């Protein structure tokens, strides 16, 4: 479980802090006794695929998917060949409505990450088939630090906050410097309460283009 160098320099104090040492020990114990998702090599995938200096957009999730073979370190994303879960299917529905993108053949959002979209969960691991099982163990402090670091960038960033837990993170972000887009969570429980019709993808690109930054090709699936 290793942060890439560009993020490691930004978050050095976090990974040396006592809470993170305790978190690492907890995860070692969990992996000895249980199946944990995502695999250890994928825990920091969001950071590997989107270097700190390249972050233009942040989409916040909550816990990783907890069923077999789904989680691979990117919020809302699943491995190639895995059926997209309901929230991701709703994201794709809104993407089609917003930008006319055809339904992707894969639920793997790596192409977004490679364009500067940090797909960050607030908790980065979970015990198999036990949702929320790794909450309150230290991940929240670590990911808050990552959000704060991005919010400290001089360049404007677009933060996409879906659902109440993600929206609480707006306290870490200066709205005078960055853009915050809020909507209900895309889960089936709340998507019809305002996620559908929120047009987040075009809204992100309007902000990026106004800042003379390259827009995201949200339709890209490879």
């Amino acid at each position: 479980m290793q942060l890439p160098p560009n993020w490691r320099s930004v978050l050095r104090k976090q990974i040396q802090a006592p809470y993170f040492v305790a978190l690492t020990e907890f995860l070692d114990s969990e992996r000895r006794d249980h199946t944990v998702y995502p695999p250890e090599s994928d825990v920091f995938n969001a950071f590997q695929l989107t270097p700190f200096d390249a972050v233009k957009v942040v989409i916040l999730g909550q816990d990783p998917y907890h069923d077999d073979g789904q989680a691979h370190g990117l919020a809302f994303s699943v491995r190639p060949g895995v059926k997209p879960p309901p929230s991701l299917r709703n994201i794709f529905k809104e993407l089609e409505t917003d930008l006319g993108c055809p339904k992707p053949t894969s639920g793997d959002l790596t192409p977004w990450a490679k364009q500067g979209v940090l797909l960050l969960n607030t908790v980065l691991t979970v015990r198999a088939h036990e949702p929320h099982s790794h909450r309150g163990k230290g991940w929240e402090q670590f990911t808050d630090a990552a959000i704060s670091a991005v919010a400290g960038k001089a360049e404007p960033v677009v933060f996409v906050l879906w659902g109440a837990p993600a929206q609480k993170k707006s306290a870490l972000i200066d709205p005078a410097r960055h853009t915050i887009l809020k909507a209900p969570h895309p889960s089936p429980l709340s998507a019809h309460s305002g996620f559908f019709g929120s047009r987040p993808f075009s809204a992100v690109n309007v902000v990026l283009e106004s800042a003379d930054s390259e827009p995201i090709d949200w339709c890209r699936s490879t």
Side-chain angles (χ1 to χ4, degrees):
M1 197 172 75
Q2 188 79 19
L3 270 175
N6 55 88
W7 278 100
R8 193 174 183 86
S9 61
V10 172
L11 297 173
R12 186 176 307 279
K13 289 183 180 179
Q14 302 301 316
I15 58 179
Q16 294 173 345
Y19 85 86
F20 196 85
V21 174
L23 171 62
T24 302
E25 292 172 350
F26 164 76
L27 290 172
D28 288 344
S29 173
E30 281 285 281
R31 290 191 187 278
R32 280 195 301 270
D33 299 333
H34 306 279
T35 300
V36 173
Y37 293 130
E40 188 171 3
S41 59
D42 287 343
V43 169
F44 289 137
N45 233 1
F47 301 98
Q48 292 282 357
L49 291 167
T50 312
F52 178 75
D53 292 341
V55 177
K56 299 194 290 188
V57 181
V58 178
I59 296 179
L60 283 181
Q62 297 175 35
D63 286 19
Y65 296 124
H66 57 81
D67 284 339
D68 298 338
Q70 293 179 318
H72 67 127
L74 299 179
F76 297 106
S77 180
V78 291
R79 293 178 177 280
V82 175
K83 181 181 178 181
S87 292
L88 184 54
R89 291 202 298 271
N90 286 339
I91 289 170
F92 287 158
K93 286 180 184 177
E94 180 62 17
L95 179 60
E96 183 174 10
T97 300
D98 188 1
L99 294 176
C101 298
K103 182 181 177 181
T105 57
S106 171
D108 182 2
L109 303 182
T110 295
W112 294 2
K114 288 182 175 179
Q115 295 179 75
V117 181
L118 181 65
L119 295 160
L120 182 65
N121 282 315
T122 53
V123 175
L124 299 188
T125 56
V126 67
R127 189 186 294 181
H129 315 302
E130 296 188 32
H132 316 321
S133 49
H134 286 184
R135 288 189 181 180
K137 303 297 184 182
W139 278 130
E140 294 90 345
Q141 186 171 344
F142 176 79
T143 55
D144 277 3
I147 294 165
S148 295
V150 173
K153 286 169 62 110
E155 307 86 1
V157 175
V158 187
F159 290 83
V160 182
L161 309 181
W162 291 331
Q167 289 169 19
K168 289 179 181 177
K169 305 301 181 182
S170 61
L172 303 172
I173 305 160
D174 179 0
R177 184 187 302 182
H178 305 294
T179 299
I180 301 172
L181 301 177
K182 297 180 180 180
H185 195 273
S187 78
L189 296 174
S190 54
H192 290 280
S193 302
F195 174 76
F196 288 136
S198 61
R199 306 181 74 88
F201 308 101
S202 59
V204 166
N205 281 352
V206 166
V207 174
L208 293 177
E209 289 174 324
S210 69
D212 296 322
S213 184
E214 188 74 20
I216 306 299
D217 180 359
W218 298 104
C219 298
R220 188 184 300 174
S221 59
T222 57

